[in-house]
Amino acid sequence: MTSFSFNRVGAICQRHFYVLRRSWPRLVEMAYWPTMQMVIWGFLSQFLASNSSYIAGAFGVLISGVMLWDVLFRGQLGFSLSFIEELWSRNLANLYCSPLTPLEHIVALVAMSFVRAVIGVVPAMLLAIPFYDFSIFTLGVPLLAFFFNLLFMGCALGLMVTAMILRYGLAAENMAWFLVFFLAPFSCAYYPMTSLPGWAQVFALALPSTHVFEGMRAVLFHGTFLWHHFFLATGLNAFLCLIGIGAYLVSFARARRMGLLLQVGE
């Protein structure tokens, strides 16, 4: 049995330092999640500290925000992972040797996004009833509007992620987790948009998710469905979906032209 060697320990550490030095996404990832947590909960804490009247009704709003945020997250992740799994299994080239078209593939990924989102969030919604005596289903018909707007925003983001993966390979895989959480502080799932600084409110207004969560709070606090938020969310989602489809088709055409479909799993 050989003796313990700090040289061997140092060699392993040096190996990982070389990996980190040459991979900026790994370096960004280490600081990304703590920063996002700090920003989101910082805005929430700041808002609650100056709006004590909000706290009385905050429970239902916060737990609804958590569950609806997961619709967006699971929708985007379900779309992206359904595509990434084809790369992990090196099956993408096999798919496109068949008569499958890119548009048909997109529709199939949207369907899988819906299935994954339902499987992911519906059990949590049901368990909240016995655990906390709270049912998000009391939102009624507006819940469907919120659900599908968030789901389709997730699919639009998923299209952008898959376009980047087709362009840059699995080096862009982490975008499946990064992108949606980058938008989290500006989506205002847990606090009103007015709690953001002015420059951030401008960006937040361009996100469908912001209008969904503003609409959710209006229903929970005032029993009012704000149609202008619904139409804005739907219109912005349509715009994002068009951008996502365009980005996917352009990246796919480039990958096919350069023969990358056979190598994108590398």
Side-chain angles (χ1 to χ4, degrees):
M1 182 176 180
T2 59
S3 60
F4 186 89
S5 171
F6 283 104
N7 285 335
R8 290 191 288 270
V9 172
I12 294 298
C13 291
Q14 187 176 28
R15 181 263 183 202
H16 288 286
F17 285 142
Y18 285 147
V19 172
L20 290 174
R21 189 178 67 181
R22 297 179 62 85
S23 178
W24 65 263
R26 288 183 173 90
L27 290 172
V28 170
E29 183 180 10
M30 283 188 271
Y32 182 85
W33 298 110
T35 301
M36 283 296 103
Q37 295 288 350
M38 179 276 295
V39 171
I40 293 170
W41 298 110
F43 279 136
L44 177 61
S45 300
Q46 185 180 55
F47 175 75
L48 292 177
S50 58
N51 293 269
S52 57
S53 60
Y54 185 90
I55 297 176
F59 174 76
V61 174
L62 290 177
I63 197 168
S64 296
V66 167
M67 289 187 282
L68 286 178
W69 171 257
D70 225 35
V71 173
L72 173 59
F73 177 57
R74 295 296 161 190
Q76 184 269 326
L77 197 62
F79 188 103
S80 301
L81 283 182
S82 295
F83 181 83
I84 291 172
E85 284 172 353
E86 303 293 355
L87 305 185
W88 288 339
S89 61
R90 303 181 186 275
N91 191 48
L92 192 63
N94 294 331
L95 289 180
Y96 283 108
C97 286
S98 74
L100 181 75
T101 66
L103 189 59
E104 291 168 346
H105 195 191
I106 289 173
V107 173
L109 292 174
V110 170
M112 288 309 304
S113 172
F114 174 80
V115 171
R116 286 175 180 257
V118 169
I119 293 172
V121 302
V122 170
M125 292 177 175
L126 294 173
L127 285 172
I129 300 172
F131 281 10
Y132 308 115
D133 194 27
F134 174 81
S135 175
I136 195 172
F137 301 104
T138 58
L139 287 171
V141 176
L143 177 61
L144 294 176
F146 302 149
F147 183 95
F148 283 105
N149 261 310
L150 290 171
L151 180 67
F152 280 105
M153 180 179 175
C155 291
L157 296 177
L159 279 163
M160 296 175 193
V161 170
T162 55
M164 285 187 282
I165 292 173
L166 280 171
R167 174 63 179 82
Y168 299 105
L170 283 176
E173 177 185 351
N174 282 341
M175 290 301 296
W177 285 267
F178 282 4
L179 184 58
V180 71
F181 276 100
F182 173 77
L183 302 177
F186 309 101
S187 293
C188 304
Y190 313 117
Y191 43 80
M193 186 179 62
T194 53
S195 61
L196 298 176
W199 63 267
Q201 291 185 32
V202 175
F203 182 67
L205 283 170
L207 298 177
S209 51
T210 304
H211 298 284
V212 169
F213 290 115
E214 289 291 310
M216 176 201 75
R217 280 185 286 273
V219 172
L220 288 171
F221 277 127
H222 309 295
T224 303
F225 183 73
L226 300 179
W227 284 97
H228 69 283
H229 279 304
F230 170 73
F231 289 127
L232 282 168
T234 304
L236 289 168
N237 266 331
F239 180 67
L240 281 179
C241 283
L242 287 175
I243 292 177
I245 291 171
Y248 181 91
L249 294 177
V250 168
S251 294
F252 176 82
R254 179 184 179 277
R256 183 169 59 182
R257 185 173 64 252
M258 299 183 69
L260 298 178
L261 293 178
L262 295 172
Q263 304 173 24
V264 75
E266 297 292 338

